[in-house]
Amino acid sequence: MGSGWVGVHTGRTNSVMAEGIAEGRIPPLAGYAEVRREVRFELEGHPRSRLDLQLRKGPRADALVEVKNVSLLDAELVRFPDAVTERGRKHLDLLAAAQALGWRAVMLFAVNRPEGRAFAPAAAVDPDYARRLREVAGAGVEVLAVRIEHGPQSMRAGALLPVE
């Protein structure tokens, strides 16, 4: 579509981001010796959850990373979510609680299309998610956006995008 490939198989996104981190292609997350996937994380007061990645043995505190696939294009911005997401807000709450306990907490938006100059939350689609994302970012949860580069038979983590 548009100017290139758009990834719609959301099950592939997490492995592409995990590979990119392990290979050092996502500079803010580089240097961790262990990248664990599908990690159960339980905190009192929060429902039992699974987060996409846990990074250990690195240059900074151990990190919890939640990955979201982004394919919505709105003018020059790529946005998430493309539908109301209570589950997405639950993940933001969990990341904020983990960050308050000393974990490095990262919300990683995997931009699965070639267009878009920057990432921004889709407030018109889910204003509660957009508000909560801004709140947790203000409290210290890191928000990153990484473009996935597509080839005829490949996908890989590419460049960081600005986050608005």
Side-chain angles (χ1 to χ4, degrees):
M1 290 181 60
S3 63
W5 295 92
V6 176
V8 295
H9 181 356
T10 60
R12 182 74 177 111
T13 305
N14 291 357
S15 60
V16 171
M17 292 295 104
E19 291 166 9
I21 292 167
E23 294 172 2
R25 288 196 313 263
I26 303 174
L29 301 176
Y32 285 92
E34 287 183 24
V35 178
R36 297 178 54 205
R37 297 187 54 197
E38 306 291 328
V39 177
R40 280 191 184 167
F41 192 76
E42 297 183 37
L43 286 177
E44 189 174 325
H46 293 271
R48 184 187 326 174
S49 294
R50 175 199 50 79
L51 290 169
D52 294 318
L53 303 171
Q54 181 184 41
L55 312 181
R56 299 181 42 169
K57 300 179 183 175
R60 296 178 56 190
D62 286 356
L64 295 170
V65 181
E66 181 64 15
V67 178
K68 297 296 184 200
N69 186 69
V70 179
S71 59
L72 177 62
L73 180 65
D74 177 18
E76 294 185 357
L77 299 175
V78 287
R79 296 183 183 270
F80 182 89
D82 58 7
V84 174
T85 176
E86 289 184 38
R87 183 170 175 260
R89 287 192 305 275
K90 178 184 83 166
H91 286 137
L92 293 175
D93 292 341
L94 190 61
L95 286 172
Q99 192 272 332
L101 292 174
W103 286 84
R104 183 178 181 196
V106 181
M107 185 65 249
L108 177 58
F109 293 99
V111 178
N112 216 339
R113 64 179 310 134
E115 308 96 344
R117 65 166 177 76
F119 168 84
V125 174
D126 190 342
D128 293 333
Y129 183 87
R131 176 190 46 77
R132 188 65 182 133
L133 178 61
R134 287 182 178 97
E135 290 171 356
V136 302
V141 172
E142 297 172 54
V143 178
L144 301 174
V146 174
R147 186 166 332 264
I148 295 177
E149 296 174 349
H150 290 261
Q153 296 183 22
S154 66
M155 296 170 66
R156 64 180 225 144
L160 290 167
L161 280 115
V163 174
E164 294 185 358

